[in-house]
Amino acid sequence: MSDPPTSPSTVRGARTRLKSLLSHHGGRETAQGATLLIYHRVGGRTIDELDVSTSNFTRHLDLLDSHDVVSLDTALDRLDAGDARPTVVLTFDDGFEDVHSNAWPLLRERGVPFTVYLASAFVARPMRWEASTAKGSVGTGMTWSQLAEMVDSGLCTIGNHTHRHVPPEGLTAEELDDCSSSIRRHLGVTPTHFTYPWGIPVPEMEPALRERFRSASSGVLGRNLPGTDPLRLARVPVRRTDPDAFFAAKLVGALGPERAYATMVRVGKAVGLRG
């Protein structure tokens, strides 16, 4: 007789307990340079690891009160000037509507700058793309009017995330230009920052990226110091099961727990366990 399936709540609890343990045995590092945090959804009420609850996001902002949270351009300006003082940049991938509904009111109230990397084909449409692994109900993209509201506030930077959220093998100059053209047409701004869909760098596309953008980032884990190639920025993921101590460790430069957790997830997937 086979074992009964593990419930989602049991899996989430196990992840949180593991991260709590790792956060207390992560060693000490000193934060320097720019830490780019990766969010996707906020308060979408799914079981997806990339869907952070609104209450957790509120606590994240509380923890960030004691840190220097700046816009992406400000962070890059400081790195260009050789300034290694620690900064934090909030980034939101894809353009989910729940970011506007649940994160935006909190960000606006506190005056926190942030970047939305927009997959422009999904504005006001279901956020479903080829080979998407999202769990739970499909979210909807923000409308152009919602995006304009955030951009007009001066707090939101819009970045390019390709038009159709293509996988690495589908990344082309046309995808970049279709996204930028759509953003320019609807919002009156030209994106100068890009992040790779799926978080996977495509080295052969770097010449095209350098022609179009000030920066490009990926899902490669790390902080960014003066001298970092701005077309190869690292970022730090944020997930729904991150306990406060695990999240806070990322802000002070202690990425050991995150690296250890990512390694465990890769090993688990390799042997057939659920990620």
Side-chain angles (χ1 to χ4, degrees), residues 25-228:
H25 297 82
R28 296 183 179 273
E29 298 178 58
T30 301
Q32 289 186 307
T35 299
L36 277 58
L37 298 179
I38 312 171
Y39 289 90
H40 289 78
R41 304 188 66 177
V42 176
R45 300 189 178 188
T46 71
I47 62 171
D48 197 292
E49 268 287 82
L50 303 182
D51 185 358
V52 175
S53 70
T54 305
S55 60
N56 280 1
F57 184 70
T58 302
R59 289 204 304 276
H60 293 174
L61 293 180
D62 290 340
L63 291 168
L64 285 163
D65 274 345
S66 59
H67 297 269
D68 193 6
V69 183
V70 300
S71 70
L72 180 53
D73 278 301
T74 296
L76 292 173
D77 289 344
R78 293 187 184 182
L79 294 180
D80 287 346
D83 186 346
R85 288 177 298 170
T87 59
V88 179
V89 178
L90 303 189
T91 70
F92 297 83
D93 286 9
D94 306 327
F96 283 94
E97 193 276 336
D98 47 63
V99 170
H100 180 271
S101 298
N102 302 317
W104 167 233
L106 299 169
L107 295 164
R108 179 180 56 205
E109 178 183 5
R110 300 179 188 225
V112 177
F114 61 100
T115 294
V116 172
Y117 288 112
L118 184 67
S120 54
F122 301 96
V123 170
R125 294 180 56 194
M127 304 288 273
R128 187 191 300 277
W129 40 78
E130 181 184 359
S132 174
T133 59
K135 302 176 180 67
S137 60
V138 176
T140 301
M142 282 182 269
T143 66
W144 287 115
S145 62
Q146 290 171 330
L147 290 159
E149 175 192 348
M150 298 192 306
V151 170
D152 291 346
S153 74
L155 292 173
C156 178
T157 299
I158 297 292
N160 185 310
H161 199 39
T162 73
H163 186 54
R164 301 172 185 83
H165 200 283
V166 294
E169 63 272 15
L171 184 58
T172 63
E174 181 181 10
E175 273 290 329
L176 302 177
D177 293 341
D178 284 351
C179 180
S180 290
S181 295
S182 186
I183 292 171
R184 187 182 308 112
R185 183 167 63 255
H186 290 280
L187 299 179
V189 297
T190 299
T192 57
H193 306 286
F194 171 79
T195 200
Y196 289 96
W198 312 97
I200 302 173
V202 182
E204 57 267 30
M205 283 298 298
E206 278 196 11
L209 296 174
R210 291 185 189 279
E211 291 176 359
R212 291 164 171 80
F213 305 111
R214 180 184 186 186
S215 78
S217 59
S218 70
V220 173
L221 178 66
R223 298 187 305 277
N224 303 284
L225 300 174
T228 297

